[in-house]
Amino acid sequence: MRAYVMTRYGGPSSAELREMPVPAPGPGELQIRVHAAGLNPVDFKIRQGQLRVIRRYPLPIVMGNELAGVVSACGAGVTRFAPGDRVFARVEKDTMGAFAEYACVPEALVAAMPAGLDFATAAAVPLAGLTALQGLRDELHAGPGQRLFIPGGAGGVGTFALQLAKQFGAQVATTASPRGDALVRRLGADVVVDYTTQRFEQVLADYDGVYDLVGGDTLARSFAVVKPGSLVLSIAGPPEPQTASKDLERAGLVPLFWLTSVAARLRARLRGARYRYLFMHPSGSDLADLARRIDAGTLEVVIDRVVPFAQIAEAFAHLESGHAKGKIVVRTVE
């Protein structure tokens, strides 16, 4: 089968399309004929080696973290799916494997595709959708009367987060360029700050929480917009000690994460707020929740572009430019 394989850590030339053996499903796994796979910033961060402290992969390894396709075979013990079922999944973090013509995924991480979506659109949902859902529901506890700031609302996670925050009853502010303004307003943003001409901390104040999707300077400035006692949650900032002890269950990483998150935690303390890094977990049941919302017409999937598998390197170049509005997807079946 064709697969996009990381051969070493580094820049774009560290991964390439090559022929690989078709994986066989183990007990409790589904073999999926992949029709489309979504690209995410975590993919190039893995390739660059930014996440080696958390997870060091054996090389070479097939990349890719989310997919949509058709079940082609079932391992022993599979009960909920059968060959021919249309499914989508956020694959296991330890193994990846979505950028390929076939992938094997544990049944517990898989859900039936939304009935009204094609494969390319469905492949854009799992990672970003789960990240948005789990951050808002489990960490920020989004609900009626809350005012949340979600910078980067036009991106892959942001387009889901804006919609879900509104469904949970929150009022939402975000940042966007003039090119993304109409999109984020359509998705439910109540306040839009043009980051090309304004500093959001001079416009926003007394928010109940922040879901930072950008990191860097945006994260550093986000503490200025929240009330005391609020949470600043990030997917792009440094992991903090709780990530090591609770989410990863690796106590040995606590000192490192304590050190790397000192600046963020200090800013939070000076504001009387809290800082937390989100470590999203794959979940078939949460994916089924997202599928129900999509089928009900309450959750829109925003696609920047869909490209053939042969052009995956060009797709990554666009992703890494930071200018994508919504998700980038590669189609493995033409």
Side-chain angles (χ1 to χ4, degrees), residues 38-260:
L39 276 64
N40 297 277
V42 70
D43 296 315
F44 66 76
K45 291 178 181 179
I46 288 171
R47 190 203 68 216
Q48 292 169 349
Q50 294 186 35
L51 305 181
R52 273 186 290 183
V53 170
I54 296 175
R55 184 170 288 105
R56 185 178 290 270
Y57 293 98
L59 301 178
I61 189 169
V62 178
M63 298 182 66
N65 285 286
E66 63 182 347
L67 55 80
V70 176
V71 176
S72 48
C74 298
V78 169
T79 59
R80 295 189 298 116
F81 297 98
D85 289 346
R86 291 159 45 98
V87 297
F88 67 153
R90 197 284 185 222
V91 304
E92 279 195 299
K93 293 184 177 183
D94 288 341
T95 57
M96 298 193 291
F99 295 150
E101 293 177 323
Y102 289 88
C104 291
V105 186
E107 181 182 28
L109 308 187
V110 178
M113 267 177 52
L117 295 189
D118 58 27
F119 289 108
T121 309
V125 175
L127 193 149
L130 290 174
T131 300
L133 176 66
Q134 292 172 9
L136 291 164
R137 182 194 64 196
D138 302 338
E139 299 290 343
L140 287 160
H141 307 293
Q146 272 192 317
R147 298 168 73 233
L148 297 176
F149 175 43
I150 306 175
V157 177
T159 54
F160 288 106
L162 292 180
Q163 297 176 80
L164 290 170
K166 293 299 294 183
Q167 289 179 32
F168 290 144
Q171 295 183 8
V172 184
T174 191
T175 55
S177 68
R179 190 166 68 93
D181 184 271
L183 171 62
V184 297
R185 291 186 189 277
R186 188 181 84 235
L187 298 178
D190 300 289
V191 178
V192 181
V193 180
D194 178 356
Y195 68 78
T196 68
T197 61
Q198 297 173 296
R199 293 181 67 84
F200 60 76
E201 69 272 28
Q202 296 175 353
V203 179
L204 310 175
D206 296 326
Y207 273 70
D208 298 299
V210 173
Y211 196 177
D212 166 54
L213 312 177
V214 181
D217 181 61
T218 297
L219 171 61
R221 293 156 49 208
S222 291
F223 295 96
V225 311
V226 296
K227 298 176 180 177
S230 300
L231 173 66
V232 175
L233 179 70
S234 180
I235 63 169
E240 31 60 52
Q242 190 176 351
T243 301
S245 59
K246 177 185 176 182
D247 301 328
L248 294 173
E249 297 182 343
R250 292 174 61 183
L253 291 177
V254 169
L256 176 62
F257 288 0
W258 185 93
L259 182 63
T260 58

